[in-house]
Amino acid sequence: SSGINAEWPLRPGYMYVDLEVKEIRSMIKKKLEDLLETTSNDEITGPMKAWVYNHLIISKMSWGFTVYNLPITFVRELGALCNRYLKKWLGIAHPCTTTVLYRSRDQKGLQLKNICTEYKVIQLIKGHQLCNSSDPYIKKVYSNHKAIADTQKMWSYPKKEKRPTATLR
């Protein structure tokens, strides 16, 4: 469910959102907190915990990122939570910039996956799949979502999918 109650009368500029959206956010945040806390409490070293974050935690979060259209501000909150744990595990000072965690090794970084970037990539893949579906109903869902997204200021995959796509063989 998208969290929008179709039976509620909508006026221009207003949207009725079910409490379900808040429940989904809290469920996703709790899952991430549980994964980070479980990893933090393990007896492995800090760099091993960062490896678990990069290869396990991010992949476990990907299903929720695929199914739900979350506000980017919420995903940034999740990113801040991840940054706190990663800095603690790796012994990085609190005032140090977090870009060092996500920069490539060529740029003197640790090349970890940024949860915000991963969310955006997953959303773009989802948008591409919906847009290029052979099912006309799915294409209609995409065009409806695009029409709504074009009227909003927030980040959304239909806004970012502007480049023509190459045919894969």
Side-chain angles (χ1 to χ4, degrees):
S1 171
S2 67
I4 299 173
N5 186 343
E7 296 167 15
W8 185 266
L10 296 178
R11 291 177 274 153
Y14 294 94
M15 183 185 318
Y16 175 78
V17 180
D18 289 335
L19 290 176
E20 180 181 343
V21 173
K22 289 181 182 176
E23 292 169 4
I24 289 168
R25 286 187 199 177
S26 65
M27 177 188 70
I28 288 173
K29 187 173 183 178
K30 174 140 180 47
K31 179 179 179 179
L32 179 62
E33 287 172 340
D34 290 347
L35 289 167
L36 291 169
E37 194 58 35
T38 301
T39 304
S40 192
N41 292 335
D42 204 342
E43 299 280 329
I44 58 178
T45 65
M48 289 179 179
K49 292 174 183 180
W51 186 92
V52 168
Y53 162 82
N54 209 39
H55 297 284
L56 183 72
I57 294 175
I58 292 292
S59 66
K60 287 216 177 249
M61 298 303 296
S62 66
W63 178 250
F65 290 169
T66 303
V67 175
Y68 304 113
N69 295 326
L70 303 168
I72 196 67
T73 53
F74 173 70
V75 180
R76 286 187 185 126
E77 289 174 22
L78 298 179
L81 179 66
C82 293
N83 290 341
R84 283 194 297 274
Y85 277 93
L86 288 168
K87 281 183 166 186
K88 181 173 91 173
W89 295 339
L90 297 170
I92 296 174
H94 178 71
C96 181
T97 181
T98 57
T99 60
V100 73
L101 298 170
Y102 308 111
R103 277 187 258 155
S104 68
R105 289 192 175 87
D106 295 344
Q107 299 293 319
K108 310 294 186 236
L110 298 175
Q111 203 166 335
L112 296 173
K113 294 177 182 174
N114 185 329
I115 200 164
C116 294
T117 305
E118 292 299 310
Y119 171 75
K120 289 178 180 181
V121 167
I122 289 168
Q123 286 290 299
L124 286 170
I125 291 168
K126 177 174 82 171
H128 182 76
Q129 289 172 338
L130 292 175
C131 178
N132 296 303
S133 174
S134 59
D135 185 352
Y137 178 76
I138 298 298
K139 282 189 175 184
K140 181 75 173 163
V141 168
Y142 175 81
S143 62
N144 288 344
H145 185 72
K146 182 169 175 27
I148 293 169
D150 287 343
T151 64
Q152 298 174 338
K153 291 183 181 179
M154 60 188 235
W155 185 94
S156 181
Y157 62 83
K159 287 183 175 183
K160 296 299 176 186
E161 192 178 50
K162 303 240 187 236
R163 287 181 273 128
T165 55
T167 306
L168 299 175
R169 295 173 203 235

